[in-house]
mmCIF file of all heavy atoms in Angstrom:
data_model
loop_
_atom_site.group_PDB
_atom_site.id
_atom_site.type_symbol
_atom_site.label_atom_id
_atom_site.label_comp_id
_atom_site.label_asym_id
_atom_site.label_seq_id
_atom_site.Cartn_x
_atom_site.Cartn_y
_atom_site.Cartn_z
ATOM 1 N N SER A 20 -70.585 -16.858 -56.351
ATOM 2 C CA SER A 20 -71.830 -17.617 -56.157
ATOM 3 C C SER A 20 -71.684 -19.056 -56.630
ATOM 4 O O SER A 20 -72.161 -19.993 -55.979
ATOM 5 C CB SER A 20 -72.978 -16.937 -56.911
ATOM 6 O OG SER A 20 -73.264 -15.669 -56.373
ATOM 7 N N LEU A 21 -71.021 -19.248 -57.766
ATOM 8 C CA LEU A 21 -70.817 -20.591 -58.302
ATOM 9 C C LEU A 21 -70.020 -21.460 -57.343
ATOM 10 O O LEU A 21 -70.343 -22.638 -57.132
ATOM 11 C CB LEU A 21 -70.083 -20.513 -59.644
ATOM 12 C CG LEU A 21 -70.916 -20.533 -60.915
ATOM 13 C CD1 LEU A 21 -70.032 -20.248 -62.114
ATOM 14 C CD2 LEU A 21 -71.638 -21.861 -61.077
ATOM 15 N N THR A 22 -68.981 -20.881 -56.769
ATOM 16 C CA THR A 22 -68.154 -21.642 -55.829
ATOM 17 C C THR A 22 -68.990 -22.128 -54.653
ATOM 18 O O THR A 22 -68.920 -23.307 -54.263
ATOM 19 C CB THR A 22 -66.994 -20.771 -55.321
ATOM 20 O OG1 THR A 22 -66.187 -20.367 -56.431
ATOM 21 C CG2 THR A 22 -66.133 -21.538 -54.335
ATOM 22 N N VAL A 23 -69.795 -21.246 -54.098
ATOM 23 C CA VAL A 23 -70.639 -21.614 -52.956
ATOM 24 C C VAL A 23 -71.622 -22.713 -53.351
ATOM 25 O O VAL A 23 -71.782 -23.716 -52.628
ATOM 26 C CB VAL A 23 -71.401 -20.380 -52.426
ATOM 27 C CG1 VAL A 23 -72.383 -20.802 -51.323
ATOM 28 C CG2 VAL A 23 -70.427 -19.333 -51.900
ATOM 29 N N LYS A 24 -72.276 -22.558 -54.501
ATOM 30 C CA LYS A 24 -73.269 -23.551 -54.943
ATOM 31 C C LYS A 24 -72.625 -24.907 -55.198
ATOM 32 O O LYS A 24 -73.198 -25.960 -54.865
ATOM 33 C CB LYS A 24 -73.970 -23.064 -56.214
ATOM 34 C CG LYS A 24 -74.724 -21.761 -56.070
ATOM 35 C CD LYS A 24 -75.887 -21.864 -55.107
ATOM 36 C CE LYS A 24 -76.635 -20.531 -55.021
ATOM 37 N NZ LYS A 24 -77.704 -20.570 -53.990
ATOM 38 N N LEU A 25 -71.442 -24.903 -55.803
ATOM 39 C CA LEU A 25 -70.772 -26.165 -56.111
ATOM 40 C C LEU A 25 -70.289 -26.870 -54.842
ATOM 41 O O LEU A 25 -70.358 -28.102 -54.744
ATOM 42 C CB LEU A 25 -69.606 -25.919 -57.068
ATOM 43 C CG LEU A 25 -70.004 -25.533 -58.502
ATOM 44 C CD1 LEU A 25 -68.778 -25.095 -59.296
ATOM 45 C CD2 LEU A 25 -70.707 -26.692 -59.208
ATOM 46 N N ILE A 26 -69.806 -26.095 -53.892
ATOM 47 C CA ILE A 26 -69.424 -26.688 -52.608
ATOM 48 C C ILE A 26 -70.646 -27.318 -51.949
ATOM 49 O O ILE A 26 -70.597 -28.455 -51.443
ATOM 50 C CB ILE A 26 -68.800 -25.625 -51.669
ATOM 51 C CG1 ILE A 26 -67.415 -25.215 -52.156
ATOM 52 C CG2 ILE A 26 -68.747 -26.132 -50.224
ATOM 53 C CD1 ILE A 26 -66.343 -26.279 -52.030
ATOM 54 N N GLN A 27 -71.771 -26.621 -51.978
ATOM 55 C CA GLN A 27 -73.008 -27.141 -51.397
ATOM 56 C C GLN A 27 -73.482 -28.394 -52.132
ATOM 57 O O GLN A 27 -74.129 -29.262 -51.537
ATOM 58 C CB GLN A 27 -74.095 -26.068 -51.430
ATOM 59 C CG GLN A 27 -73.814 -24.894 -50.496
ATOM 60 C CD GLN A 27 -74.801 -23.739 -50.683
ATOM 61 O OE1 GLN A 27 -75.546 -23.694 -51.654
ATOM 62 N NE2 GLN A 27 -74.801 -22.799 -49.740
ATOM 63 N N ALA A 28 -73.155 -28.482 -53.430
ATOM 64 C CA ALA A 28 -73.569 -29.639 -54.228
ATOM 65 C C ALA A 28 -72.608 -30.814 -54.085
ATOM 66 O O ALA A 28 -72.814 -31.864 -54.711
ATOM 67 C CB ALA A 28 -73.678 -29.244 -55.704
ATOM 68 N N GLY A 29 -71.546 -30.639 -53.286
ATOM 69 C CA GLY A 29 -70.648 -31.757 -53.010
ATOM 70 C C GLY A 29 -69.390 -31.821 -53.848
ATOM 71 O O GLY A 29 -68.668 -32.827 -53.824
ATOM 72 N N TYR A 30 -69.088 -30.758 -54.592
ATOM 73 C CA TYR A 30 -67.875 -30.736 -55.411
ATOM 74 C C TYR A 30 -66.660 -30.354 -54.562
ATOM 75 O O TYR A 30 -66.780 -29.655 -53.556
ATOM 76 C CB TYR A 30 -67.995 -29.699 -56.531
ATOM 77 C CG TYR A 30 -68.868 -30.091 -57.693
ATOM 78 C CD1 TYR A 30 -70.256 -30.002 -57.607
ATOM 79 C CD2 TYR A 30 -68.312 -30.529 -58.891
ATOM 80 C CE1 TYR A 30 -71.065 -30.341 -58.685
ATOM 81 C CE2 TYR A 30 -69.114 -30.863 -59.980
ATOM 82 C CZ TYR A 30 -70.490 -30.766 -59.862
ATOM 83 O OH TYR A 30 -71.290 -31.097 -60.937
ATOM 84 N N THR A 31 -65.508 -30.788 -55.016
ATOM 85 C CA THR A 31 -64.254 -30.195 -54.587
ATOM 86 C C THR A 31 -63.978 -29.070 -55.574
ATOM 87 O O THR A 31 -63.956 -29.299 -56.792
ATOM 88 C CB THR A 31 -63.102 -31.212 -54.632
ATOM 89 O OG1 THR A 31 -63.333 -32.218 -53.639
ATOM 90 C CG2 THR A 31 -61.762 -30.540 -54.380
ATOM 91 N N VAL A 32 -63.807 -27.857 -55.060
ATOM 92 C CA VAL A 32 -63.718 -26.700 -55.947
ATOM 93 C C VAL A 32 -62.360 -26.017 -55.815
ATOM 94 O O VAL A 32 -61.900 -25.728 -54.695
ATOM 95 C CB VAL A 32 -64.837 -25.671 -55.642
ATOM 96 C CG1 VAL A 32 -64.729 -24.470 -56.585
ATOM 97 C CG2 VAL A 32 -66.214 -26.325 -55.770
ATOM 98 N N TYR A 33 -61.750 -25.743 -56.963
ATOM 99 C CA TYR A 33 -60.564 -24.912 -57.035
ATOM 100 C C TYR A 33 -61.022 -23.557 -57.567
ATOM 101 O O TYR A 33 -61.346 -23.421 -58.758
ATOM 102 C CB TYR A 33 -59.507 -25.545 -57.942
ATOM 103 C CG TYR A 33 -58.871 -26.750 -57.300
ATOM 104 C CD1 TYR A 33 -59.492 -28.000 -57.372
ATOM 105 C CD2 TYR A 33 -57.673 -26.644 -56.590
ATOM 106 C CE1 TYR A 33 -58.935 -29.114 -56.748
ATOM 107 C CE2 TYR A 33 -57.105 -27.746 -55.966
ATOM 108 C CZ TYR A 33 -57.745 -28.976 -56.049
ATOM 109 O OH TYR A 33 -57.188 -30.078 -55.420
ATOM 110 N N ALA A 34 -61.108 -22.593 -56.670
ATOM 111 C CA ALA A 34 -61.628 -21.270 -56.995
ATOM 112 C C ALA A 34 -60.466 -20.311 -57.214
ATOM 113 O O ALA A 34 -59.662 -20.080 -56.295
ATOM 114 C CB ALA A 34 -62.521 -20.769 -55.863
ATOM 115 N N THR A 35 -60.347 -19.779 -58.410
ATOM 116 C CA THR A 35 -59.222 -18.902 -58.693
ATOM 117 C C THR A 35 -59.610 -17.440 -58.501
ATOM 118 O O THR A 35 -60.741 -17.039 -58.737
ATOM 119 C CB THR A 35 -58.679 -19.091 -60.120
ATOM 120 O OG1 THR A 35 -59.508 -18.383 -61.056
ATOM 121 C CG2 THR A 35 -58.610 -20.557 -60.491
ATOM 122 N N MET A 36 -58.630 -16.666 -58.064
ATOM 123 C CA MET A 36 -58.829 -15.224 -57.940
ATOM 124 C C MET A 36 -57.489 -14.527 -58.069
ATOM 125 O O MET A 36 -56.435 -15.098 -57.763
ATOM 126 C CB MET A 36 -59.515 -14.863 -56.622
ATOM 127 C CG MET A 36 -58.826 -15.357 -55.357
ATOM 128 S SD MET A 36 -59.700 -14.842 -53.842
ATOM 129 C CE MET A 36 -61.260 -15.708 -53.990
ATOM 130 N N ARG A 37 -57.550 -13.289 -58.550
ATOM 131 C CA ARG A 37 -56.311 -12.529 -58.763
ATOM 132 C C ARG A 37 -55.804 -11.900 -57.475
ATOM 133 O O ARG A 37 -54.607 -11.691 -57.302
ATOM 134 C CB ARG A 37 -56.555 -11.442 -59.813
ATOM 135 C CG ARG A 37 -55.320 -10.677 -60.229
ATOM 136 C CD ARG A 37 -55.607 -9.723 -61.359
ATOM 137 N NE ARG A 37 -56.666 -8.775 -61.021
ATOM 138 C CZ ARG A 37 -57.072 -7.810 -61.828
ATOM 139 N NH1 ARG A 37 -56.551 -7.701 -63.035
ATOM 140 N NH2 ARG A 37 -58.025 -6.978 -61.452
ATOM 141 N N SER A 38 -56.726 -11.573 -56.570
ATOM 142 C CA SER A 38 -56.349 -10.954 -55.307
ATOM 143 C C SER A 38 -56.913 -11.762 -54.154
ATOM 144 O O SER A 38 -58.071 -12.172 -54.192
ATOM 145 C CB SER A 38 -56.873 -9.519 -55.241
ATOM 146 O OG SER A 38 -56.709 -8.987 -53.941
ATOM 147 N N PRO A 39 -56.121 -11.996 -53.112
ATOM 148 C CA PRO A 39 -56.600 -12.785 -51.977
ATOM 149 C C PRO A 39 -57.469 -11.991 -51.009
ATOM 150 O O PRO A 39 -57.866 -12.499 -49.959
ATOM 151 C CB PRO A 39 -55.299 -13.222 -51.302
ATOM 152 C CG PRO A 39 -54.347 -12.107 -51.597
ATOM 153 C CD PRO A 39 -54.706 -11.609 -52.971
ATOM 154 N N LYS A 40 -57.803 -10.742 -51.356
ATOM 155 C CA LYS A 40 -58.532 -9.876 -50.435
ATOM 156 C C LYS A 40 -59.877 -10.458 -50.006
ATOM 157 O O LYS A 40 -60.320 -10.238 -48.884
ATOM 158 C CB LYS A 40 -58.750 -8.497 -51.068
ATOM 159 C CG LYS A 40 -57.472 -7.688 -51.246
ATOM 160 C CD LYS A 40 -57.762 -6.349 -51.882
ATOM 161 C CE LYS A 40 -56.482 -5.545 -52.087
ATOM 162 N NZ LYS A 40 -56.736 -4.236 -52.740
ATOM 163 N N THR A 41 -60.551 -11.168 -50.912
ATOM 164 C CA THR A 41 -61.877 -11.694 -50.588
ATOM 165 C C THR A 41 -61.849 -13.180 -50.239
ATOM 166 O O THR A 41 -62.893 -13.806 -50.130
ATOM 167 C CB THR A 41 -62.845 -11.477 -51.768
ATOM 168 O OG1 THR A 41 -62.304 -12.114 -52.933
ATOM 169 C CG2 THR A 41 -63.045 -9.998 -52.045
ATOM 170 N N GLN A 42 -60.659 -13.734 -50.059
ATOM 171 C CA GLN A 42 -60.558 -15.163 -49.757
ATOM 172 C C GLN A 42 -61.308 -15.520 -48.474
ATOM 173 O O GLN A 42 -62.042 -16.508 -48.429
ATOM 174 C CB GLN A 42 -59.095 -15.586 -49.635
ATOM 175 C CG GLN A 42 -58.930 -17.068 -49.315
ATOM 176 C CD GLN A 42 -57.476 -17.516 -49.370
ATOM 177 O OE1 GLN A 42 -56.641 -16.854 -49.987
ATOM 178 N NE2 GLN A 42 -57.167 -18.630 -48.730
ATOM 179 N N ASN A 43 -61.130 -14.717 -47.436
ATOM 180 C CA ASN A 43 -61.797 -15.011 -46.170
ATOM 181 C C ASN A 43 -63.314 -15.003 -46.310
ATOM 182 O O ASN A 43 -64.007 -15.854 -45.742
ATOM 183 C CB ASN A 43 -61.368 -13.999 -45.098
ATOM 184 C CG ASN A 43 -59.921 -14.192 -44.670
ATOM 185 O OD1 ASN A 43 -59.348 -15.250 -44.868
ATOM 186 N ND2 ASN A 43 -59.337 -13.155 -44.089
ATOM 187 N N ARG A 44 -63.818 -14.045 -47.075
ATOM 188 C CA ARG A 44 -65.271 -13.960 -47.275
ATOM 189 C C ARG A 44 -65.792 -15.185 -48.012
ATOM 190 O O ARG A 44 -66.852 -15.720 -47.698
ATOM 191 C CB ARG A 44 -65.623 -12.679 -48.048
ATOM 192 C CG ARG A 44 -67.116 -12.366 -48.070
ATOM 193 C CD ARG A 44 -67.351 -10.941 -48.558
ATOM 194 N NE ARG A 44 -67.024 -10.787 -49.958
ATOM 195 C CZ ARG A 44 -67.895 -10.988 -50.955
ATOM 196 N NH1 ARG A 44 -69.136 -11.369 -50.690
ATOM 197 N NH2 ARG A 44 -67.533 -10.813 -52.208
ATOM 198 N N LEU A 45 -65.033 -15.650 -49.005
ATOM 199 C CA LEU A 45 -65.440 -16.840 -49.749
ATOM 200 C C LEU A 45 -65.399 -18.068 -48.854
ATOM 201 O O LEU A 45 -66.299 -18.913 -48.883
ATOM 202 C CB LEU A 45 -64.527 -17.033 -50.965
ATOM 203 C CG LEU A 45 -64.840 -18.237 -51.860
ATOM 204 C CD1 LEU A 45 -66.250 -18.142 -52.439
ATOM 205 C CD2 LEU A 45 -63.814 -18.349 -52.982
ATOM 206 N N GLU A 46 -64.361 -18.182 -48.047
ATOM 207 C CA GLU A 46 -64.250 -19.331 -47.141
ATOM 208 C C GLU A 46 -65.406 -19.358 -46.147
ATOM 209 O O GLU A 46 -65.964 -20.425 -45.853
ATOM 210 C CB GLU A 46 -62.909 -19.266 -46.407
ATOM 211 C CG GLU A 46 -61.715 -19.560 -47.316
ATOM 212 C CD GLU A 46 -60.372 -19.332 -46.637
ATOM 213 O OE1 GLU A 46 -60.358 -18.667 -45.568
ATOM 214 O OE2 GLU A 46 -59.355 -19.819 -47.156
ATOM 215 N N GLU A 47 -65.775 -18.185 -45.649
ATOM 216 C CA GLU A 47 -66.910 -18.112 -44.721
ATOM 217 C C GLU A 47 -68.205 -18.511 -45.405
ATOM 218 O O GLU A 47 -69.031 -19.252 -44.849
ATOM 219 C CB GLU A 47 -67.026 -16.697 -44.154
ATOM 220 C CG GLU A 47 -65.928 -16.328 -43.175
ATOM 221 C CD GLU A 47 -66.025 -14.887 -42.715
ATOM 222 O OE1 GLU A 47 -67.019 -14.218 -43.070
ATOM 223 O OE2 GLU A 47 -65.111 -14.430 -42.005
ATOM 224 N N ALA A 48 -68.404 -18.033 -46.640
ATOM 225 C CA ALA A 48 -69.624 -18.351 -47.388
ATOM 226 C C ALA A 48 -69.723 -19.844 -47.680
ATOM 227 O O ALA A 48 -70.828 -20.388 -47.812
ATOM 228 C CB ALA A 48 -69.667 -17.556 -48.692
ATOM 229 N N CYS A 49 -68.576 -20.500 -47.781
ATOM 230 C CA CYS A 49 -68.539 -21.945 -48.040
ATOM 231 C C CYS A 49 -68.481 -22.761 -46.746
ATOM 232 O O CYS A 49 -68.226 -23.984 -46.788
ATOM 233 C CB CYS A 49 -67.339 -22.289 -48.928
ATOM 234 S SG CYS A 49 -67.456 -21.633 -50.606
ATOM 235 N N GLY A 50 -68.703 -22.105 -45.628
ATOM 236 C CA GLY A 50 -68.707 -22.820 -44.346
ATOM 237 C C GLY A 50 -67.365 -23.402 -43.978
ATOM 238 O O GLY A 50 -67.294 -24.408 -43.270
ATOM 239 N N HIS A 51 -66.290 -22.756 -44.455
ATOM 240 C CA HIS A 51 -64.920 -23.221 -44.197
ATOM 241 C C HIS A 51 -64.749 -24.698 -44.596
ATOM 242 O O HIS A 51 -64.078 -25.478 -43.911
ATOM 243 C CB HIS A 51 -64.540 -23.012 -42.729
ATOM 244 C CG HIS A 51 -64.531 -21.561 -42.331
ATOM 245 N ND1 HIS A 51 -63.494 -20.721 -42.654
ATOM 246 C CD2 HIS A 51 -65.447 -20.807 -41.662
ATOM 247 C CE1 HIS A 51 -63.760 -19.496 -42.190
ATOM 248 N NE2 HIS A 51 -64.934 -19.522 -41.584
ATOM 249 N N SER A 52 -65.371 -25.039 -45.719
ATOM 250 C CA SER A 52 -65.308 -26.411 -46.220
ATOM 251 C C SER A 52 -63.880 -26.799 -46.610
ATOM 252 O O SER A 52 -63.147 -26.009 -47.228
ATOM 253 C CB SER A 52 -66.219 -26.556 -47.448
ATOM 254 O OG SER A 52 -66.021 -27.797 -48.082
ATOM 255 N N LYS A 53 -63.504 -28.010 -46.280
ATOM 256 C CA LYS A 53 -62.195 -28.518 -46.674
ATOM 257 C C LYS A 53 -62.134 -28.822 -48.169
ATOM 258 O O LYS A 53 -61.051 -29.085 -48.708
ATOM 259 C CB LYS A 53 -61.864 -29.776 -45.866
ATOM 260 C CG LYS A 53 -61.651 -29.502 -44.377
ATOM 261 C CD LYS A 53 -61.290 -30.774 -43.629
ATOM 262 C CE LYS A 53 -61.062 -30.492 -42.149
ATOM 263 N NZ LYS A 53 -60.711 -31.724 -41.391
ATOM 264 N N GLN A 54 -63.312 -28.791 -48.820
ATOM 265 C CA GLN A 54 -63.357 -29.063 -50.259
ATOM 266 C C GLN A 54 -63.086 -27.805 -51.093
ATOM 267 O O GLN A 54 -63.008 -27.879 -52.308
ATOM 268 C CB GLN A 54 -64.729 -29.633 -50.639
ATOM 269 C CG GLN A 54 -65.103 -30.931 -49.927
ATOM 270 C CD GLN A 54 -64.043 -31.999 -50.106
ATOM 271 O OE1 GLN A 54 -63.526 -32.575 -49.143
ATOM 272 N NE2 GLN A 54 -63.689 -32.271 -51.355
ATOM 273 N N LEU A 55 -62.943 -26.672 -50.413
ATOM 274 C CA LEU A 55 -62.640 -25.421 -51.111
ATOM 275 C C LEU A 55 -61.132 -25.192 -51.133
ATOM 276 O O LEU A 55 -60.461 -25.265 -50.104
ATOM 277 C CB LEU A 55 -63.322 -24.242 -50.411
ATOM 278 C CG LEU A 55 -62.919 -22.839 -50.920
ATOM 279 C CD1 LEU A 55 -63.345 -22.649 -52.370
ATOM 280 C CD2 LEU A 55 -63.505 -21.758 -50.029
ATOM 281 N N ASN A 56 -60.623 -24.909 -52.330
ATOM 282 C CA ASN A 56 -59.205 -24.613 -52.508
ATOM 283 C C ASN A 56 -59.088 -23.311 -53.302
ATOM 284 O O ASN A 56 -59.519 -23.247 -54.462
ATOM 285 C CB ASN A 56 -58.506 -25.735 -53.282
ATOM 286 C CG ASN A 56 -58.708 -27.090 -52.637
ATOM 287 O OD1 ASN A 56 -57.979 -27.480 -51.756
ATOM 288 N ND2 ASN A 56 -59.741 -27.812 -53.083
ATOM 289 N N VAL A 57 -58.547 -22.287 -52.685
ATOM 290 C CA VAL A 57 -58.382 -20.997 -53.359
ATOM 291 C C VAL A 57 -57.017 -20.968 -54.044
ATOM 292 O O VAL A 57 -55.994 -21.270 -53.420
ATOM 293 C CB VAL A 57 -58.525 -19.830 -52.369
ATOM 294 C CG1 VAL A 57 -58.242 -18.501 -53.066
ATOM 295 C CG2 VAL A 57 -59.925 -19.826 -51.751
ATOM 296 N N VAL A 58 -57.030 -20.618 -55.335
ATOM 297 C CA VAL A 58 -55.810 -20.620 -56.135
ATOM 298 C C VAL A 58 -55.567 -19.226 -56.702
ATOM 299 O O VAL A 58 -56.472 -18.631 -57.306
ATOM 300 C CB VAL A 58 -55.927 -21.635 -57.301
ATOM 301 C CG1 VAL A 58 -54.655 -21.626 -58.150
ATOM 302 C CG2 VAL A 58 -56.204 -23.032 -56.772
ATOM 303 N N PHE A 59 -54.373 -18.699 -56.524
ATOM 304 C CA PHE A 59 -54.025 -17.410 -57.116
ATOM 305 C C PHE A 59 -53.879 -17.574 -58.625
ATOM 306 O O PHE A 59 -53.199 -18.482 -59.105
ATOM 307 C CB PHE A 59 -52.715 -16.875 -56.531
ATOM 308 C CG PHE A 59 -52.184 -15.668 -57.269
ATOM 309 C CD1 PHE A 59 -52.749 -14.423 -57.063
ATOM 310 C CD2 PHE A 59 -51.149 -15.797 -58.187
ATOM 311 C CE1 PHE A 59 -52.278 -13.307 -57.752
ATOM 312 C CE2 PHE A 59 -50.671 -14.687 -58.883
ATOM 313 C CZ PHE A 59 -51.241 -13.437 -58.657
ATOM 314 N N LEU A 60 -54.504 -16.680 -59.380
ATOM 315 C CA LEU A 60 -54.411 -16.751 -60.836
ATOM 316 C C LEU A 60 -54.610 -15.368 -61.435
ATOM 317 O O LEU A 60 -55.661 -14.745 -61.280
ATOM 318 C CB LEU A 60 -55.476 -17.703 -61.395
ATOM 319 C CG LEU A 60 -55.606 -17.775 -62.925
ATOM 320 C CD1 LEU A 60 -54.283 -18.158 -63.572
ATOM 321 C CD2 LEU A 60 -56.699 -18.760 -63.316
#
């Protein structure tokens, strides 16, 4: 939720996750914004 809100607020966001399984869902929720960067962590 934070990632989506921050993207909507105009941030460039580095969103970390341990598994890439939900990456597509997050990208869709963020409107495939170029400001979203998913990082494995």
Side-chain angles (χ1 to χ4, degrees):
S20 295
L21 264 172
T22 300
V23 174
K24 300 296 181 185
L25 290 171
I26 289 291
Q27 292 172 347
Y30 284 79
T31 293
V32 180
Y33 288 83
T35 80
M36 56 179 65
R37 186 174 57 178
S38 170
K40 292 180 181 179
T41 58
Q42 180 173 340
N43 290 340
R44 191 167 69 89
L45 181 60
E46 289 173 344
E47 289 176 6
C49 293
H51 297 282
S52 171
K53 293 182 179 180
Q54 301 306 126
L55 171 64
N56 305 274
V57 176
V58 179
F59 170 77
L60 174 57

